[in-house]
């Protein structure tokens, strides 16, 4: 050591063997770790999660797959059948509605066409002058032949323009029996009526005479107004005639024969009437399924023209309104349709619920020239779906039977297939833990499974041979890694995926890659272990063998990862829980083992041990390539532990530790501050502590070894003086003098003399050079340490 000389900032020398990573550089390993760390972010402990293991069992998978296929097949068949039946039922109901509408429309058209044809033919013959009102006989015979041909209830000519009030009409009455009546009014205010012969049309007898004005009658006024919009004629409105029957008429214009064909002057109306009772009677016989019905109403008034329902009796001369129908909730349904503003549904049906019953309603307009009526077809939804429900029940029954059969078969197949897998799982678990002696031999009737059992038996035989070459530390790591909860590493060549593969990744301790871990590192250096210090090479080899066996055996006991750097250098890494106690205990065991070995060996010089203990981040894993790899642990803590091991030579100590290790172990062990250390490129100077032994205050033997003094008080006093010395920001000669006297008085006491001499030398250097004691720290250059002061 050189006193009073300022040495340049400390640096660290590392041997080539310590920093080389073979074919894999540190940067490439870090890059590989970044890629592989993403694949190892989450890990499931499947041995603890019994529920998850049951859910992911192959037996359950087989059962689930078979049942899923059965269920999917059954549901597909049922859904297809249901949809097809529903579509067929919908098409059938639509077809029923369409046919009913078409049939009813044809009937209505046929009845209305009678009035239209009769009116047009009568008007056409009058306008062509084939008949004339002046020839009463010819006009009556013509109308008789026409009503015989076209069965309308009445027809006639009504002339009420230009002051005329002429009527020539024939009426067919069916109540109380068939009767033909001829009405005639010509150039008179009196309307005369006569009975007619049903066969020849001859007049039989006079009936009555009454006053009648053509131009004041409702049908005539309506017809004249109709000609304004429909010049060629059209249907009038539905009304009750003199017999209280629902009647509809068709009116065609007739012109003054005097001015024809040059000029068409409207003079009157050719009118033909029909009773709508025939339409109503026909509609009452229409059957739409069982519970369906049809209602024919006017669009504007909703007065009923006909229906396939029981209609209420008319109140006097008042017509029946659709809301008054009680049968099958028809009145309430028609009111709901009106409230919703539904005038037409085209080809689709509308679902309406009345008093808990669902109805399918189809509304279609019936048009004929100027007539627009509303045809409403109603079906009960339950009746339409009844056929679908029946087929559904049958399919559901067959489906349930098929599912039960599939479930029974799936359990049988699942059990048959899962038994070999259960055996394989048990045996492979034993193989994964290298518990090869417990692997059992199985057999099977199936060729494929039998081959698997045979190959496993052969593999176990080979593994038993390979196991003899595997170090015990690796075997221990394999066993401990089964329950390790830490994050493992994975090679980029690995192809794991899924939750189960995370467990495989954790167990794959041979993969290439490094990951950061919080570890405690011991660097052990054996000094004076040279062949020149032994009597012969055999004794030297025996000592080396004992040293290696002792260190590796202790590492196995403490479950530490031992890296042999040389026959006299070892790197030991602790990477498990409660590691703050085990590393210190291991260091004391190594020292005690060496002391025991020294007492039994005849050597020129005693073998000494120097141990450095540091806690920090270490990159752990395997380095190399796919064909060749070896375990590695690199990082600042490793280099620092090696420096601390070297510092033992200058301090005269055997075991040194850093501040982090001291903070976690100061209650269990006796630790003394002996030096100060500064890492390269760091401004922080930290205290280096010596591990003396276990803290067994109160033990009489321990008190006797320390010359029966209170070791705790001495250590506390020594630590205070140490901190006081290196906390001085300037040279205080008085305090430095006191501290120098204190350290000199500690000689031959509990503190090693080499340590106190070093502190004395540091104080003398500060007094001579006026250097700041707080800037002091030791430098490590290979195996040389020196005093260094650095501002």
């Amino acid at each position: 050591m050189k006193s009073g000389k300022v040495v340049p900032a400390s640096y660290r020398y590392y041997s080539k063997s310590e920093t080389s990573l073979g074919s894999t550089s540190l940067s490439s390993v870090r890059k590989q770790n970044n890629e592989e760390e993403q694949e190892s972010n989450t890990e499931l402990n499947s041995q603890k999660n019994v529920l998850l293991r049951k859910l992911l069992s192959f037996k359950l998978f087989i059962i689930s797959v078979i049942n899923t296929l059965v269920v999917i097949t059954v549901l597909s068949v049922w859904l297809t059948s249901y949809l097809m039946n529903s579509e067929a039922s919908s098409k059938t109901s639509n077809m029923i509605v369409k046919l009913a509408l078409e049939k009813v429309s044809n009937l209505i058209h046929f009845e209305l066409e009678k009035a239209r044809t009769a009116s047009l033919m009568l008007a056409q013959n009058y306008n062509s002058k084939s008949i004339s009102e002046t020839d009463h006989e010819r006009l009556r015979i013509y109308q008789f032949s026409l009503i015989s041909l076209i069965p309308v209830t009445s027809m006639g000519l009504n002339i009420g323009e230009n002051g005329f009030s002429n009527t020539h009409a024939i009426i067919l009455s069916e109540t109380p029996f068939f009767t033909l009546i001829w009405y005639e009014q010509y150039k008179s205010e009196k309307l005369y009526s006569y009975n007619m012969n049903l066969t020849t049309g001859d007049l039989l007898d006079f009936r009555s005479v009454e006053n009648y004005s053509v131009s004041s009658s409702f049908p005539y006024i309506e017809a004249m107004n109709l000609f304004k919009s429909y010049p060629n004629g059209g249907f009038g409105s539905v009304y009750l005639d003199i017999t209280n029957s629902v009647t509809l008429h068709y009116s065609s214009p007739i012109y003054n024969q005097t001015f024809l064909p040059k000029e068409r002057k409207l003079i009157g109306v050719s009118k033909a009437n029909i009773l709508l009772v025939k339409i109503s009677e026909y509609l009452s016989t229409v059957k739409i399924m069982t519970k369906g019905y049809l209602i024919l109403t006017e669009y504007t008034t909703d007065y009923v023209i006909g229906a396939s329902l029981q209609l209420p009796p008319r109140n006097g001369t008042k017509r029946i309104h659709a809301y008054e129908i009680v049968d099958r909730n028809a009145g309430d349904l028609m009111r709901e349709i009106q409230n919703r503003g539904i005038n037409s549904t085209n080809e689709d049906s509308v679902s309406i619920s009345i008093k808990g019953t669902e109805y399918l309603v189809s509304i279609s307009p019936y048009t004929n020239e100027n007539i627009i009526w509303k045809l409403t077809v109603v079906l009960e939804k339950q009746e339409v779906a009844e056929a679908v429900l029946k087929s559904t029940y049958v399919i559901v029954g067959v489906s349930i039977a098929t599912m039960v059969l599939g479930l029974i078969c799936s359990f049988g197949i699942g059990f048959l297939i899962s038994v070999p897998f259960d055996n394989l799982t048990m045996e492979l678990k034993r193989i994964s833990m290298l518990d090869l002696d417990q692997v059992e031999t199985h057999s099977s009737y199936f060729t494929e499974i039998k081959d698997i059992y045979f190959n496993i038996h052969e593999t176990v035989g080979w593994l038993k041979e390979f196991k003899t070459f595997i170090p015990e530390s690796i075997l221990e790591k394999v066993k401990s890694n089964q329950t390790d909860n830490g994050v493992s590493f994975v090679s980029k060549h690995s192809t794991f995926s899924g939750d189960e593969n995370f467990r495989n990744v954790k167990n794959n301790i041979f993969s290439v890659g490094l990951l950061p871990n919080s570890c405690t590192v011991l660097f052990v250096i054996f000094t004076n272990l040279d062949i020149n210090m032994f009597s012969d090479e055999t004794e030297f080899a025996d000592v080396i063998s004992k040293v290696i066996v002792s260190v590796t055996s202790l590492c196995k006991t403490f479950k530490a990862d031992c890296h042999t750097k040389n026959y006299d250098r070892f790197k030991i890494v602790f990477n498990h829980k409660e590691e703050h106690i085990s590393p210190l205990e291991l260091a004391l065991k190594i020292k005690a083992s060496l002391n025991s070995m020294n007492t039994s060996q005849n050597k020129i010089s005693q073998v000494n041990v120097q141990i450095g203990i540091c806690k920090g981040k270490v990159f752990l894993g395997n380095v190399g390539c796919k064909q060749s790899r070896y375990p590695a642990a690199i990082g600042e803590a490793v280099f620092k532990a090696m420096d601390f091991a070297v510092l033992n030579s200058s301090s005269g100590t055997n075991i040194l530790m850093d501040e982090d290790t001291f903070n976690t172990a100061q209650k269990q062990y006796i630790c003394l501050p002996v030096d100060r250390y500064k890492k390269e490129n760091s401004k922080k100077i930290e205290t280096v502590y010596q591990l003396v032994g276990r803290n067994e205050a109160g033990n009489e033997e321990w008190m006797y070894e320390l010359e029966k003094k209170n070791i705790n008080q001495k250590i506390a006093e020594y630590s205070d003086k140490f901190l006081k010395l290196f906390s001085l920001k300037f040279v205080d000669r008085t305090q430095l003098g006191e501290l120098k006297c204190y350290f000199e008085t500690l000689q031959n006491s509990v503190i090693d003399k080499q340590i106190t001499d070093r502190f004395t030398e540091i104080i003398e250097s500060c007094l001579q050079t006026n250097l700041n004691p707080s800037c002091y720290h030791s430098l490590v250059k290979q195996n040389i340490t020196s005093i260094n002061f650095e501002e």
Side-chain angles (χ1 to χ4, degrees):
M1 290 181 287
K2 299 179 181 181
S3 174
K5 183 178 179 182
V6 178
V7 182
S10 61
Y11 66 93
R12 186 178 286 110
Y13 172 81
Y14 306 116
S15 63
K16 182 177 180 181
S17 62
E18 178 69 24
T19 58
S20 174
L21 297 178
S23 61
T24 305
S25 65
L26 180 59
S27 60
S28 64
V29 172
R30 287 175 177 174
K31 182 178 179 181
Q32 181 180 348
N33 285 333
N34 293 334
E35 296 175 354
E36 297 171 349
E37 190 174 16
Q38 298 177 355
E39 302 176 9
S40 316
N41 288 332
T42 309
E43 183 179 7
L44 297 176
N45 192 346
S46 60
Q47 293 181 351
K48 296 181 180 179
N49 197 337
V50 178
L51 178 61
L52 184 60
R53 287 173 59 83
K54 295 296 183 182
L55 292 177
L56 297 180
S57 67
F58 188 74
K59 181 192 297 184
L60 183 60
F61 174 75
I62 293 295
I63 295 174
S64 301
V65 168
I66 296 177
N67 281 304
T68 301
L69 292 176
V70 171
V71 170
I72 290 175
T73 303
V74 169
L75 289 179
S76 299
V77 172
W78 174 81
L79 183 60
T80 303
S81 176
Y82 178 80
L83 292 177
M84 292 181 66
N85 289 337
S86 298
E87 185 177 358
S89 176
S90 177
K91 288 183 177 179
T92 301
S93 62
N94 291 335
M95 184 62 68
I96 292 172
V97 171
K98 184 178 180 181
L99 291 175
L101 291 174
E102 184 178 352
K103 192 173 182 180
V104 170
S105 297
N106 291 336
L107 172 73
I108 297 172
H109 182 77
F110 176 75
E111 292 295 326
L112 297 183
E113 190 65 19
K114 296 176 182 179
R116 178 177 175 274
T117 303
S119 175
L120 289 175
M121 291 182 66
L122 183 59
Q124 183 180 1
N125 282 281
Y126 181 83
N127 292 330
S128 64
K129 301 180 181 181
S130 297
I131 56 177
S132 174
E133 65 173 339
T134 58
D135 190 352
H136 299 170
E137 184 70 18
R138 180 178 176 84
L139 180 59
R140 176 173 53 79
I141 296 302
Y142 174 76
Q143 290 190 50
F144 171 76
S145 62
L146 188 59
I147 199 171
S148 300
L149 179 65
I150 304 174
V152 294
T153 54
S154 65
M155 69 174 65
L157 298 176
N158 296 278
I159 302 174
E161 300 301 310
N162 300 328
F164 293 102
S165 182
N166 299 339
T167 299
H168 307 276
I170 187 171
I171 297 176
L172 176 62
S173 177
E174 297 183 0
T175 56
F177 46 84
F178 281 95
T179 305
L180 274 177
I181 304 173
W182 174 256
Y183 288 90
E184 186 173 48
Q185 180 182 16
Y186 182 70
K187 295 180 181 182
S188 171
E189 295 180 358
K190 302 294 183 180
L191 178 64
Y192 298 90
S193 62
Y194 304 90
N195 290 323
M196 297 181 65
N197 188 292
L198 294 174
T199 306
T200 61
D202 296 333
L203 296 179
L204 297 178
D205 54 353
F206 175 77
R207 285 176 59 90
S208 64
V209 60
E210 57 184 293
N211 294 327
Y212 182 72
S213 175
V214 174
S215 60
S216 300
S217 63
F218 169 75
Y220 184 84
I221 295 173
E222 184 184 30
M224 299 306 292
N225 291 329
L226 180 67
F227 294 155
K228 296 177 182 179
S229 301
Y230 301 92
N232 295 324
F235 289 97
S237 59
V238 179
Y239 66 98
L240 295 177
D241 61 7
I242 58 177
T243 63
N244 202 24
S245 300
V246 181
T247 305
L248 177 69
H249 66 89
Y250 189 93
S251 300
S252 301
I254 58 175
Y255 304 100
N256 195 327
Q257 292 180 337
T258 306
F259 301 98
L260 289 175
K262 295 181 179 180
E263 187 177 357
R264 301 172 65 181
K265 287 186 178 183
L266 184 63
I267 193 174
V269 176
S270 170
K271 183 168 68 72
N273 290 5
I274 59 171
L275 294 178
L276 298 184
V277 66
K278 291 188 177 181
I279 296 177
S280 180
E281 289 175 354
Y282 172 77
L283 292 180
S284 64
T285 62
V286 173
K287 296 290 185 181
I288 302 178
M289 300 185 73
T290 305
K291 300 179 181 180
Y293 55 88
L294 182 145
I295 302 176
L296 177 63
T297 59
E298 297 182 47
Y299 252 109
T300 55
T301 63
D302 271 338
Y303 281 118
V304 178
I305 297 173
S308 60
L309 292 168
Q310 183 178 355
L311 298 178
R314 285 204 303 265
N315 185 11
T317 60
K318 185 179 179 182
R319 293 180 61 192
I320 301 173
H321 199 277
Y323 300 167
E324 299 174 358
I325 304 176
V326 179
D327 191 18
R328 304 183 198 176
N329 299 322
D332 295 334
L333 182 63
M334 296 299 291
R335 182 179 288 104
E336 181 66 20
I337 293 172
Q338 180 65 28
N339 293 337
R340 294 191 183 187
I342 303 174
N343 293 320
S344 177
T345 59
N346 298 324
E347 296 181 357
D348 299 325
S349 299
V350 177
S351 179
I352 299 177
S353 178
I354 300 295
K355 297 180 179 180
T357 305
E358 290 283 339
Y359 294 97
L360 296 176
V361 179
S362 297
I363 300 176
S364 177
Y366 171 79
T367 59
N368 191 337
E369 292 195 7
N370 61 313
I371 283 181
I372 302 178
W373 289 343
K374 181 165 62 175
L375 275 170
T376 303
V377 181
V378 180
L379 300 174
E380 281 197 15
K381 193 172 184 179
Q382 184 178 1
E383 185 181 13
V384 174
E386 199 170 87
V388 179
L389 290 175
K390 288 181 180 179
S391 62
T392 301
Y393 293 149
V394 174
I395 295 173
V396 168
V398 175
S399 301
I400 293 175
T402 305
M403 290 176 62
V404 171
L405 181 61
L407 183 64
I408 296 173
C409 293
S410 65
F411 273 103
I413 296 173
F415 177 79
L416 188 65
I417 294 178
S418 64
V419 168
F421 280 95
D422 292 340
N423 294 334
L424 290 175
T425 301
M426 183 182 301
E427 304 310 331
L428 290 176
K429 183 178 180 180
R430 293 169 178 170
I431 293 174
S432 68
M433 299 181 66
L434 295 180
D435 192 7
L436 304 179
D437 295 332
Q438 299 298 324
V439 177
E440 300 178 359
T441 302
H442 299 275
S443 61
S444 175
Y445 294 105
F446 298 102
T447 303
E448 294 81 2
I449 299 176
K450 186 176 181 180
D451 291 341
I452 293 175
Y453 286 152
F454 175 78
N455 291 331
I456 287 180
H457 178 74
E458 292 294 315
T459 303
V460 169
W462 281 100
L463 289 177
K464 287 181 179 179
E465 299 296 330
F466 294 148
K467 184 178 178 181
T468 58
F469 294 93
I470 301 176
E472 290 295 328
S473 60
I474 300 298
L475 296 176
E476 185 63 33
K477 188 181 296 185
V478 170
K479 294 180 181 179
S480 63
N481 215 27
Q482 298 294 328
T483 56
D484 184 18
N485 292 326
V487 180
S488 185
F489 47 84
V490 61
S491 171
K492 70 178 182 178
H493 304 291
S494 301
T495 56
F496 298 111
S497 62
D499 295 338
E500 185 67 21
N501 290 330
F502 279 105
R503 183 165 62 96
N504 298 331
V505 171
K506 182 172 64 177
N507 295 332
N508 191 2
I509 62 174
F510 304 106
S511 301
V512 176
L514 300 173
L515 280 180
N517 292 269
S518 180
C519 304
T520 300
V521 181
L522 280 72
F523 201 92
V524 183
I525 300 176
F526 291 94
T527 59
N528 298 331
L529 193 60
D530 188 87
I531 192 172
N532 297 323
M533 298 180 181
F534 295 85
S535 58
D536 54 38
E537 295 181 354
T538 303
E539 184 181 4
F540 174 66
D542 181 60
V543 172
I544 291 176
S545 176
K546 289 182 178 180
V547 168
I548 294 175
V549 170
S550 176
V551 173
T552 54
S553 299
L554 288 172
C555 290
K556 180 178 180 180
T557 302
F558 284 86
K559 298 181 181 180
D561 191 6
C562 181
H563 301 259
T564 303
K565 313 303 294 182
N566 204 343
Y567 68 90
D568 60 347
R569 288 175 178 251
F570 300 90
K571 179 171 61 179
I572 304 171
V573 180
F574 281 84
N575 185 28
H576 49 80
K577 296 180 179 179
E578 300 182 358
E579 59 180 16
H580 59 280
I581 297 178
S582 298
L584 275 63
E585 194 67 29
L586 176 59
L588 293 176
K589 291 289 185 182
I590 293 175
K591 179 181 176 182
S593 176
L594 181 63
N595 293 336
S596 176
M597 186 179 63
N598 283 333
T599 59
S600 62
Q601 297 293 332
N602 297 321
K603 302 179 290 299
I604 299 176
S605 177
Q606 295 289 315
V607 177
N608 190 27
V609 65
Q610 298 176 2
I611 303 175
I613 307 175
C614 288
K615 187 175 182 180
K617 184 179 292 186
V618 177
F619 289 89
L620 296 178
N622 299 318
V623 295
C625 60
K626 186 177 181 180
Q627 292 76 19
S628 176
R629 65 195 71 174
Y630 62 92
I634 60 176
E636 190 64 30
V638 177
F639 302 135
K640 202 161 113 177
M642 184 172 63
D643 286 351
F644 281 17
V646 174
L647 279 176
N648 282 287
S649 61
S650 64
S651 302
T653 56
N654 295 110
I655 306 173
L656 294 179
M657 70 180 75
D658 63 349
E659 290 182 352
D660 292 337
T661 307
F662 168 75
N663 292 332
T664 57
Q666 57 181 329
K667 292 183 180 181
Q668 293 89 352
Y669 295 89
I670 300 174
C671 305
L672 301 176
V674 296
D675 206 343
R676 283 157 59 83
Y677 172 81
K678 179 181 177 183
K679 293 193 297 185
E680 186 178 3
N681 299 326
S682 175
K683 296 181 179 181
K684 179 183 177 182
I685 300 175
E686 62 177 308
T687 303
V688 181
Y689 293 86
Q690 176 194 7
L691 175 62
V692 178
R694 300 181 189 87
N695 187 3
E696 299 177 347
N699 187 293
E700 293 181 359
E701 182 181 356
W702 178 251
M703 297 296 291
Y704 178 78
E705 290 178 357
L706 295 179
E707 299 176 354
K708 297 181 181 181
K709 293 184 179 180
N710 192 331
I711 189 65
N712 292 330
Q713 293 181 357
K714 297 294 291 182
I715 291 175
E717 182 181 4
Y718 168 79
S719 300
D720 291 341
K721 298 297 182 182
F722 180 88
L723 295 175
K724 184 175 181 181
L725 172 62
F726 294 109
S727 63
L728 294 175
K729 302 299 181 180
F730 56 90
V731 178
D732 188 336
R733 294 183 176 276
T734 302
Q735 292 189 14
L736 289 176
E738 293 176 356
L739 292 172
K740 180 179 179 183
C741 292
Y742 171 77
F743 287 118
E744 288 176 347
T745 58
L746 286 178
Q747 295 181 5
N748 299 322
S749 183
V750 294
I751 310 301
D752 191 270
K753 183 178 182 301
Q754 189 172 349
I755 297 175
T756 58
D757 289 345
R758 184 177 181 84
F759 292 155
T760 302
E761 182 181 359
I762 293 171
I763 294 174
E764 289 177 353
S765 177
C766 292
L767 291 174
Q768 293 174 8
T769 59
N770 289 327
L771 293 175
N772 186 358
S774 64
C775 297
Y776 161 78
H777 63 276
S778 292
L779 290 177
V780 178
K781 295 183 179 180
Q782 300 182 20
N783 292 330
I784 303 173
T785 61
S786 61
I787 299 175
N788 180 67
F789 292 90
E790 187 179 65
E791 297 295 339

